[in-house]
Amino acid sequence: MGGGLLVAGTTSDAGKSVVTAGICRWLVRKGVKVAPFKAQNMSLNSFVTREGAEIGRAQAMQAAAARVEPSALMNPVLLKPGGDRSSQVVLMGKPVGELSARGYHAGRQEQLFGTVTDCLEELRRTHDAVICEGAGSPAEINLRRSDIVNMGIARAARLPVVVVGDIDRGGVFASFFGTTALLSPEDQELIAGYVVNKFRGDVTLLEPGLDMLYELTGRRTFGVLPFAHGLGIDEEDGLRVSLRGAVRESVVAPPHGADVLRVAVCAVPLMSNFTDVDALAAEPGVVVRFVDRAEELADADLVVVPGTRGTVRALAWLRERGLADALARRAAEGLPVLGICGGFQVLGERIDDEVESKAGTVEGLGLLPVRVRFAAEKTLARPVGTALGEPVEGYEIHHGVADVRGGDGAFISDDNGHSLDGCRVGAVWGTHWHGSLESDGFRRAFLRRVAEAAGRAFVPAPDTSFAALREEQLDRLGDLIEEHADTDALLRLIEDGVPKGVPFIPPGAPPLPAQREPQSGQDPDRGRRLTPARAGQGGTLPDPAAAGMPSSIDSLERGNT
């Protein structure tokens, strides 16, 4: 079995994803065959692997950092929120049902533990090292019994754990100590030490505190990573995007032509795969911001309506805020609008939805001659085609099936001009393909069309390579680990496993409540183990019944028990 490490965090957004990606890039540059792993991810930003499995985008980017092909093995459980109280459960890359929060944590989560450990075991069998990412905090004592992503998986696989803390938020020493002290003695045995993230200033001023932390906990600090602008990988949670003044700009460079191009992204509810606009922000002279008011569209040269996990809800939100009327005015004036996936669907004439919202037939914005019917089976694909005379590729994640009834229905076509996806009427465009703007030639051709329609003297830079910029970013993450972490100590930890003799820090976790007994006649191991995917493949995909999953949303009150 290959070595391993679990990167936990004192909080959500402490930097676990970034540190995991950085360790993966550092290791692969040393010639180590490494893979990322996250047992359970909650994210509205997802990706489709080549075998058609849906996983979190963070794990796809970590796979890119490790220079390996993304696989369902790397993220066996993906939760896609549909609101505050329920999520779609994606198991081994395929949706198997919707569950309330209470229902998931009241037993369904534990039923997936065998699948999770099998996936990790397979990755460790085929790689020199597996770098695992935790979720939230390992000290969420209310959820410890059902935990399959933090100390639960660390205990099962005997993985050493490094805890990341964001010092930019403040209170990092209390967070490190409190996180450790709230764990049981058995869990504390696995905590090897800490990594400080986002430090600003003179590190020598921090060192006395690190020494005191060692005296208090008996655990070392493996690195102090400096605050660095523009670092990070695709965010996991669209629910937490800051709307006001949020600007995504990957390249700080003047425009190639005379004008800049302003892009406004409607921050619809349950926004998903908003990383689509990163490729726009990578262009010199393109400024991207998220908006939630109609007046903020006034100076936009392009408005993007992004993907969403709640298409009908997003449509109502656009109308409530006056954004729907603003989009209609733009269309009438010939000003550019682009809808992607759910955003494409709301621009159409009609939506028939008995699957996602169960709202039935709802009138769309009517800007494109498209009718959408939601199918029970989700489309998951990695298509390739041609658009605006340029090669384009993307990925599809949607229940909605588009019936294009007019306009330019060959927005994206095959080599013979037969439509593959999308529609265009005037300056209004729509497509189900996520990631299409990452195709450099197509993105430049599209931006030239946008600039012409908007009356801007904007010229796309001829040499911007989005893939190269991604690689540079991942290399910077690897540099961060290599230059500011004790890499020799990290390597020993990955190779040798759990440290010996770390002390217990009282008080430890409170006693867990008694385990709930299975209901009469229920097999306690039902759905516990599912055939794992082979390395680089999607694996055997379970059906909802085998996994103990319901086929529709159960209420929080019923709790799926």
Side-chain angles (χ1 to χ4, degrees):
M1 298 292 288
L5 176 71
L6 188 137
V7 179
T10 56
T11 63
S12 296
D13 299 325
K16 298 182 293 292
S17 297
V18 167
V19 171
T20 300
I23 293 176
C24 285
R25 178 49 60 101
W26 158 63
L27 285 174
V28 77
R29 292 194 305 207
K30 288 179 62 66
V32 177
K33 186 180 180 183
V34 60
F37 177 80
K38 186 164 185 174
Q40 171 198 295
N41 198 350
M42 177 172 281
S43 178
L44 287 170
N45 282 335
S46 57
F47 182 76
V48 179
T49 66
R50 294 203 179 278
E51 70 274 10
E54 185 180 8
I55 65 173
R57 273 197 69 94
Q59 280 60 67
M61 288 301 299
Q62 289 162 355
R67 295 178 180 147
V68 295
E69 188 66 31
S71 163
L73 289 170
M74 299 171 184
N75 180 207
V77 181
L78 173 63
L79 305 178
K80 302 193 73 175
D84 294 335
R85 295 190 172 190
S86 68
S87 292
Q88 183 181 66
V89 181
V90 179
L91 181 60
M92 294 302 296
K94 300 294 182 180
V96 294
E98 300 252 355
L99 281 176
S100 70
R102 182 185 296 178
Y104 184 66
H105 289 288
R108 304 297 188 187
Q109 186 179 34
E110 293 172 87
Q111 291 177 354
L112 304 177
F113 193 57
T115 302
V116 164
T117 55
D118 285 347
C119 289
L120 177 55
E121 182 178 341
E122 176 70 6
L123 286 174
R124 293 183 75 182
R125 189 183 67 80
T126 54
H127 294 78
D128 301 326
V130 178
I131 308 303
C132 307
E133 180 187 345
S137 164
E140 292 170 352
I141 54 179
N142 57 315
L143 302 177
R144 176 61 185 90
R145 178 174 289 284
S146 60
D147 170 42
I148 65 172
V149 65
N150 290 306
M151 302 313 297
I153 193 70
R155 283 268 290 275
R158 297 299 297 169
L159 293 173
V161 178
V162 172
V163 181
V164 178
D166 180 356
I167 197 171
D168 197 49
R169 294 183 175 186
V172 73
F173 292 117
S175 298
F176 283 145
F177 183 87
T179 296
T180 308
L182 274 177
L183 300 178
S184 68
E186 295 80 7
D187 286 350
Q188 285 195 26
E189 288 177 2
L190 306 179
I191 303 297
Y194 314 106
V195 171
V196 177
N197 192 29
K198 297 183 183 179
F199 179 72
R200 305 172 191 254
D202 186 347
V203 72
T204 61
L205 299 177
L206 189 66
E207 289 172 351
L210 302 179
D211 293 339
M212 287 185 277
L213 182 66
Y214 178 79
E215 293 172 4
L216 286 167
T217 67
R219 292 163 175 85
R220 59 173 300 164
T221 299
F222 287 90
V224 178
L225 309 182
F227 188 99
H229 290 282
L231 279 185
I233 61 177
D234 296 350
E235 288 92 337
E236 291 187 352
D237 194 349
L239 296 175
R240 289 199 299 267
V241 173
S242 173
L243 305 184
R244 191 64 52 214
V247 176
R248 305 175 68 81
E249 190 172 15
S250 301
V251 178
V252 180
H256 191 70
D259 283 349
V260 299
L261 208 63
R262 295 172 177 84
V263 178
V265 184
C266 296
V268 296
L270 299 175
M271 183 166 50
S272 61
N273 287 71
F274 54 87
T275 48
D276 282 331
V277 300
D278 283 351
L280 295 177
E283 286 285 350
V286 175
V287 179
V288 180
R289 67 184 188 274
F290 290 93
V291 303
D292 61 354
R293 297 185 302 194
E295 56 268 29
E296 293 176 297
L297 304 188
D299 66 342
D301 301 308
L302 169 67
V303 175
V304 177
V305 186
T308 172
R309 173 84 164 88
T311 302
V312 171
R313 179 176 169 183
L315 184 57
W317 181 87
L318 291 168
R319 286 180 167 132
E320 289 167 0
R321 292 178 171 261
L323 288 160
D325 291 338
L327 290 170
R329 287 193 297 272
R330 289 185 64 87
E333 295 169 4
L335 297 175
V337 175
L338 171 65
I340 302 175
C341 199
F344 171 35
Q345 295 166 9
V346 304
L347 296 180
E349 298 172 348
R350 191 176 73 192
I351 298 169
D352 292 321
D353 181 12
E354 297 292 350
V355 175
E356 188 177 75
S357 68
K358 296 182 170 58
T361 301
V362 179
E363 294 301 312
L365 299 185
L367 304 185
L368 291 174
V370 177
R371 296 184 180 181
V372 176
R373 176 186 54 83
F374 272 63
E377 185 175 351
K378 180 184 285 189
T379 296
L380 297 169
R382 289 275 294 274
V384 176
T386 301
L388 304 182
E390 299 286 347
V392 60
E393 59 183 274
Y395 56 99
E396 294 183 72
I397 307 171
H398 55 90
H399 285 279
V401 178
D403 176 14
V404 178
R405 300 190 167 205
D408 180 0
F411 174 23
I412 300 177
S413 61
D414 61 17
D415 292 338
N416 297 318
H418 299 133
S419 178
L420 296 177
D421 182 76
C423 179
R424 178 181 68 87
V425 173
V428 180
W429 310 68
T431 177
H432 271 133
W433 289 22
H434 294 291
S436 59
L437 293 167
E438 296 178 18
S439 299
D440 297 328
F442 165 66
R443 183 182 63 254
R444 287 192 280 268
F446 176 69
L447 289 177
R448 282 192 290 269
R449 296 283 189 96
V450 168
E452 181 182 359
R456 296 285 185 187
F458 170 84
V459 179
D463 55 354
T464 301
S465 167
F466 186 73
L469 290 172
R470 282 288 198 196
E471 273 297 298
E472 289 174 12
Q473 186 183 48
L474 294 173
D475 275 332
R476 289 180 64 198
L477 293 178
D479 294 343
L480 201 68
I481 297 298
E482 189 167 347
E483 296 169 7
H484 300 283
D486 188 337
T487 52
D488 290 339
L490 279 177
L491 197 57
R492 286 194 300 271
L493 194 63
I494 293 167
E495 292 176 342
D496 299 340
V498 176
K500 303 294 189 294
V502 291
F504 170 70
I505 308 301
L512 291 171
Q515 176 68 49
R516 182 187 306 188
E517 293 298 324
Q519 296 177 10
S520 176
Q522 179 181 341
D523 178 2
D525 293 324
R526 177 173 178 260
R528 188 169 179 80
R529 286 196 177 270
L530 303 167
T531 303
R534 299 293 97 189
Q537 298 178 354
T540 301
L541 300 171
D543 60 32
M549 295 293 171
S551 58
S552 60
I553 298 176
D554 285 68
S555 70
L556 182 67
E557 290 72 26
R558 280 162 50 192
N560 298 310
T561 57

